[in-house]
């Protein structure tokens, strides 16, 4: 049997695993085998942006499919109303008053660094970061025999280059960090990207080209990780940028007929629908690899 949980903007797709007894009879169980875990996080998306929560305009068929086959939560809380402390609460299991990071920036402590603003200007700010003694969910699951991976957005390293996810419990990391300002520039069509501690180039986006969108780039990294670990229990934390501003996406055909919408409204909706299509591609790959029935899938937004 298959069930799922969908909380506010949170969805969990889980399973009961068949067990064969000594008589050959199959029994449902959940605790003998370790299910794979995929945690998908949207960025700055409201629960009202999903059609499964009543939105009549934004198309999210794949996320809706998770909701339809599972359980939705209509009452829930984010760890915070902004990115870093919310993600810190998720990763450490602590409430905001007890987390290491309690705001995107801090007035004391932390490390000073450069923040690039959406208009291209930069300012000097201070940010806190997770420390080596902080226990993350990846630390716990790694100890339980899971192969752990974070794809795309971490936002818990502040300006400490040694605080990237692969130094805070994750076995693998593919994405960008705060501490290396240009590692996600330009937003949504990055030329630079981390593979562990190595900063690589994305040739499709060289010289300002929009060859591959970050939703697709992140999904490709996620699928590659799943393929490599299909025979081992794994924890994949797939943290999309969408639909956080700036709303950069070239593909808006879904909403070109909405003549009364502003360009930013079309792009915002398109970022969500494009992310939804990427999630559908991930789900299809799980089916193809025969992993879907033993994979717990959670979908949420950070705030």
């Amino acid at each position: 049997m298959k069930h799922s949980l969908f909380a506010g903007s949170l969805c969990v797709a889980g399973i009961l695993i068949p067990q064969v007894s000594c008589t050959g009879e199959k029994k449902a169980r959940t605790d003998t085998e370790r299910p794979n875990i995929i945690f998908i996080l949207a960025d700055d998306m409201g629960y009202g942006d999903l059609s499964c929560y009543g939105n009549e305009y934004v198309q999210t068929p794949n996320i809706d499919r998770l909701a339809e086959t599972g359980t939705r939560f209509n009452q829930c809380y984010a760890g915070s109303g902004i990115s870093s402390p919310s993600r810190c609460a998720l990763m450490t299991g602590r409430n905001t008053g007890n987390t290491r990071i309690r705001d995107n920036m801090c007035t004391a402590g932390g490390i000073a660094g450069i923040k690039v603003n959406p208009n291209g200007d930069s300012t000097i700010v201070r940010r806190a970061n997770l420390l080596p003694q902080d226990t993350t969910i990846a630390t716990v699951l790694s100890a339980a025999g899971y192969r752990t991976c974070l794809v795309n957005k971490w936002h818990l390293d502040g300006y400490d280059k040694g605080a990237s996810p692969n130094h805070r419990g994750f076995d693998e990391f593919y994405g960008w960090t705060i501490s290396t300002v240009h590692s996600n520039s330009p937003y949504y069509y990055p030329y630079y990207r981390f593979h562990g501690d190595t900063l690589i180039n994305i040739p499709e986006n060289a010289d300002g080209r929009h060859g591959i969108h970050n939703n697709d780039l992140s999904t490709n990294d996620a699928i590659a990780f799943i393929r490599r670990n299909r025979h081992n229990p794994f924890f994949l934390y797939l943290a999309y940028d969408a639909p956080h501003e700036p709303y950069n996406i070239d593909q808006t055909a879904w909403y070109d007929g909405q003549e009364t919408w502003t360009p930013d409204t079309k792009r915002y909706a398109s970022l969500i629908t494009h992310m939804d299509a990427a999630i559908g591609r991930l789900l299809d790959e799980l089916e193809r690899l025969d992993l879907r029935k033993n994979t717990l899938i959670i979908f949420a937004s950070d705030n």
Side-chain angles (χ1 to χ4, degrees):
M1 294 187 296
K2 191 187 304 182
H3 68 280
S4 60
L5 300 171
F6 198 95
S9 292
L10 173 81
C11 154
V12 180
I15 46 81
L16 293 176
I17 307 167
Q19 180 183 20
V20 181
S21 70
C22 58
T23 62
E25 180 184 0
K26 289 188 176 181
K27 299 178 181 179
R29 63 177 170 78
T30 58
D31 57 350
T32 302
E33 293 184 20
R34 290 165 293 180
N36 304 310
I37 304 168
I38 299 178
F39 190 92
I40 304 171
L41 194 67
D43 196 351
D44 279 8
M45 187 194 73
Y47 74 89
D49 294 330
L50 299 172
S51 58
C52 58
Y53 278 97
N55 193 293
E56 298 178 358
Y57 301 98
V58 182
Q59 302 168 33
T60 53
N62 294 292
I63 296 171
D64 296 344
R65 178 158 49 114
L66 288 177
E68 289 167 3
T69 58
T71 303
R72 292 177 297 158
F73 287 94
N74 293 316
Q75 298 184 48
C76 58
Y77 294 89
S80 178
I82 51 178
S83 186
S84 290
S86 180
R87 292 161 193 267
C88 190
L90 282 170
M91 288 295 99
T92 63
R94 294 177 175 270
N95 65 46
T96 307
N98 290 304
T99 55
R100 182 73 61 184
I101 302 170
R102 305 183 187 184
D103 202 338
N104 279 351
M105 273 75 75
C106 54
T107 56
I111 300 172
I114 298 172
K115 180 181 186 300
V116 178
N117 300 311
N119 62 7
D121 295 339
S122 60
T123 54
I124 302 297
V125 300
R126 303 189 71 87
R127 293 183 186 265
N129 57 269
L130 284 186
L131 299 179
Q133 60 266 37
D134 293 321
T135 300
T136 68
I137 186 173
T139 310
V140 174
L141 289 174
S142 291
Y146 279 75
R147 183 73 178 178
T148 59
C149 176
L150 184 144
V151 173
N152 199 48
K153 182 173 180 178
W154 174 233
H155 227 251
L156 302 178
D157 58 305
Y159 294 111
D160 180 358
K161 293 185 177 181
S164 58
N166 52 308
H167 296 281
R168 295 295 182 269
F170 286 91
D171 297 310
E172 300 182 34
F173 165 53
Y174 307 94
W176 61 278
T177 64
I178 295 170
S179 57
T180 302
V181 177
H182 61 279
S183 64
N184 194 37
S185 180
Y187 211 73
Y188 287 117
Y189 294 96
Y191 176 59
Y192 296 97
R193 191 171 183 82
F194 276 105
H195 282 193
D197 290 327
T198 303
L199 193 62
I200 68 161
N201 297 136
I202 309 300
E204 295 93 330
N205 293 336
D207 302 317
R209 293 195 300 270
H210 288 187
I212 183 168
H213 194 275
N214 197 38
N215 286 345
D216 290 324
L217 183 62
S218 297
T219 305
N220 291 347
D221 288 336
I223 288 174
F225 170 77
I226 291 171
R227 288 173 179 169
R228 290 194 303 273
N229 293 278
R230 62 186 179 275
H231 300 303
N232 307 302
F234 62 79
F235 169 57
L236 169 65
Y237 174 24
L238 174 54
Y240 288 107
D241 290 331
H244 194 289
E245 64 175 350
Y247 310 129
N248 293 335
I249 186 169
D250 296 335
Q251 185 180 352
T252 61
W254 300 285
Y255 305 105
D256 287 346
Q258 298 288 350
E259 298 180 357
T260 61
W261 287 16
T262 67
D264 268 355
T265 300
K266 291 180 181 179
R267 286 191 286 265
Y268 178 86
S270 295
L271 283 167
I272 295 174
T273 300
H274 188 254
M275 175 180 62
D276 179 89
I279 292 171
R281 187 156 60 91
L282 183 74
L283 296 176
D284 289 343
E285 185 66 15
L286 289 173
E287 293 283 3
R288 190 187 72 80
L289 296 172
D290 197 26
L291 295 175
R292 181 65 181 84
K293 291 183 178 180
N294 192 35
T295 301
L296 182 72
I297 301 174
I298 305 161
F299 177 83
S301 181
D302 65 340
N303 49 68

